[in-house]
Amino acid sequence: MKENRYIAAIVGTGRIGFTLGFDKKREQPASHTMALLDNKRINLIAAADSNEENRERWQKFVQKHHSKKEFTLSFPTSKELYENVTCLDIITVAVNEDNHLEECIKAIEYKPRLVILEKPVALNSEEAEKIRAKAVECGVPVMVNHERRFAKDYLSAIKLIEQIGEIQSVVGELDSGLRIYGEEFEKDGTYSLLHDGTHLVDIVQYLFQCSLQKPRVDGIFKDEKGIVRNFSAHYSSVSSSFGTIPEVTIKMSGRSKFFEFRIEILGTLGKIIIGNGIAEFYLRKESSLYTGFYSLTKQELKLPKKTGYFSGMIQNAVDFLDGKSELVSPLEDAISDLRVLEEIKAGF
């Protein structure tokens, strides 16, 4: 029996919407367009983007990908898209953060079967709640692209946690050259606490099925303009699916001349480090250096060559529409991430 295909459109054909799919260094698919095209159960037929060059490049590429029997349309606004295309099951919203509220609500009001929203949900939790209210009103589910929830390396880490004994601490660290926070950047979301921090907070809360609340924020460094460049947020006695974790720390640097994203999990019997380009697993072993002592020894890890971080998200969307699965990254969880970031920001 032939399975039905879901009809999709995308709003926003910039980097995450489209062009990251041409980055030869990234695991592909690395954009919403490429991931949608890559799934045989989805027929991507339309897009909207105010940038004419982006829009034309997208249409030319997608039309070439399709068979001759299929068609592709593009529009300068989402309003025109929705007025001219009436059969959409999936709408992906991949615009800049400052347009998430407006464009996600428009997509919800169209009443597709599913909206896929690029992270973060919105500029703040107040805007995010407006999106949630509209989703409830229209009965439209929204999933948020927190991609690490679908990555096979992070999912493998969950299985390894049980082997390292009781968890003593978890440290999530993100280092980059982008400013962490400045009040003047709230209007467009161009600061790392929101743009990248949402990923860091989300994967920690997801891995441990925990809720990070009431942080102690210290290690704050501000540059000569008063822009936050470093901080550490500490959470004590965090209840998780692996028992109580004595301390969880979220650390970010915005003055590093490199990019690093990593989670370090210290147990009583070992340690796990997982992150961008990092996957390490250590267990205790009788020390070769000291009699009567144990040392950590690096274990061999066999991880898949491809994590499937983007394709896994799209497959979850298909499985959800088929009635086979719940959404792995629902709107409610993403709003929780925003609230964690806002509590950290209040500590600055």
Side-chain angles (χ1 to χ4, degrees):
M1 182 177 177
K2 188 176 181 180
E3 294 179 302
N4 293 329
R5 298 182 74 188
Y6 296 113
I7 308 302
I10 185 169
V11 179
T13 59
R15 291 182 78 251
I16 195 65
F18 177 43
T19 60
L20 287 181
F22 299 103
D23 187 337
K24 294 181 179 179
K25 290 186 177 182
R26 292 177 184 255
E27 177 189 318
Q28 295 294 336
S31 70
H32 287 280
T33 293
M34 303 311 187
L36 289 165
L37 290 174
D38 195 51
N39 194 295
K40 295 180 180 179
R41 293 289 308 286
I42 294 176
N43 184 13
L44 178 61
I45 68 165
D49 197 306
S50 59
N51 185 302
E52 183 177 0
E53 183 179 348
N54 286 356
R55 190 171 67 248
E56 290 180 353
R57 184 183 181 190
W58 180 92
Q59 182 165 351
K60 183 178 180 181
F61 177 86
V62 177
Q63 185 65 60
K64 185 177 180 181
H65 181 276
H66 281 326
S67 69
K68 294 181 181 180
K69 294 181 179 179
E70 296 171 312
F71 63 95
T72 308
L73 301 171
S74 64
F75 303 90
T77 68
S78 58
K79 182 176 183 293
E80 292 173 80
L81 189 161
Y82 301 144
E83 288 175 346
N84 288 277
V85 181
T86 59
C87 58
L88 297 175
D89 299 301
I90 301 171
I91 298 174
T92 292
V93 177
V95 296
N96 292 336
E97 289 91 339
D98 51 342
N99 290 316
H100 278 200
L101 175 61
E102 178 182 358
E103 289 299 341
C104 192
I105 284 182
K106 286 180 180 179
I108 291 169
E109 289 177 335
Y110 178 94
K111 295 187 178 181
R113 296 181 62 185
L114 178 66
V115 170
I116 299 174
L117 176 61
E118 180 54 33
K119 65 80 196 167
V121 178
L123 291 176
N124 51 61
S125 61
E126 182 179 352
E127 289 189 357
E129 287 294 349
K130 292 178 181 178
I131 292 174
R132 171 157 51 186
K134 180 59 68 172
V136 171
E137 175 189 333
C138 295
V140 176
V142 177
M143 76 180 302
V144 180
N145 183 30
H146 280 123
E147 59 195 37
R148 287 169 179 82
R149 291 186 173 217
F150 306 93
K152 293 176 183 177
D153 49 353
Y154 283 93
L155 297 178
S156 296
I158 295 176
K159 299 176 182 178
L160 295 175
I161 291 174
E162 295 179 354
Q163 299 183 44
I164 63 171
E166 296 180 20
I167 298 176
Q168 301 185 72
S169 66
V170 174
V171 179
E173 182 170 354
L174 194 151
D175 305 306
S176 77
L178 178 63
R179 56 186 167 263
I180 289 172
Y181 176 72
E183 186 175 353
E184 62 266 42
F185 304 108
E186 286 198 2
K187 63 181 181 298
D188 59 9
T190 55
Y191 59 97
S192 186
L193 181 65
L194 180 68
H195 191 267
D196 300 308
T198 183
H199 274 310
L200 188 61
V201 165
D202 183 76
I203 194 58
V204 169
Q205 293 201 124
Y206 179 69
L207 285 177
F208 300 97
Q209 293 297 294
C210 66
S211 177
L212 300 178
Q213 299 179 11
K214 299 179 180 179
R216 183 183 85 256
V217 182
D218 59 23
I220 301 167
F221 176 86
K222 296 182 180 181
D223 63 21
E224 65 278 2
K225 296 181 180 180
I227 305 300
V228 177
R229 292 290 180 175
N230 290 82
F231 79 88
S232 294
H234 308 273
Y235 301 84
S236 300
S237 300
V238 177
S239 296
S240 80
S241 54
F242 298 95
T244 299
I245 304 173
E247 183 173 51
V248 174
T249 300
I250 300 293
K251 300 171 60 178
M252 290 183 64
S253 164
R255 53 181 179 147
S256 301
K257 299 184 185 300
F258 57 86
F259 184 87
E260 180 180 44
F261 186 110
R262 57 188 275 154
I263 310 293
E264 184 167 320
I265 309 160
L266 178 65
T268 54
L269 301 175
K271 180 169 64 175
I272 299 167
I273 303 174
I274 187 76
N276 286 21
I278 306 169
E280 298 177 1
F281 177 41
Y282 299 84
L283 290 176
R284 77 168 195 153
K285 184 178 180 181
E286 189 171 343
S287 178
S288 60
L289 301 174
Y290 310 104
T291 301
F293 283 82
Y294 287 84
S295 300
L296 289 182
T297 303
K298 192 172 183 179
Q299 308 294 302
E300 184 179 353
L301 272 181
K302 293 183 179 179
L303 294 175
K305 292 182 179 180
K306 297 189 71 172
T307 69
Y309 69 100
F310 227 124
S311 56
M313 185 270 292
I314 295 299
Q315 186 57 50
N316 179 234
V318 169
D319 291 342
F320 172 77
L321 293 177
D322 284 347
K324 298 177 180 178
S325 173
E326 296 296 321
L327 292 177
V328 170
S329 187
L331 177 63
E332 292 74 15
D333 288 3
I335 294 176
S336 172
D337 297 330
L338 279 182
R339 296 196 184 282
V340 173
L341 298 177
E342 288 171 347
E343 281 197 336
I344 291 173
K345 186 171 63 177
F348 297 157

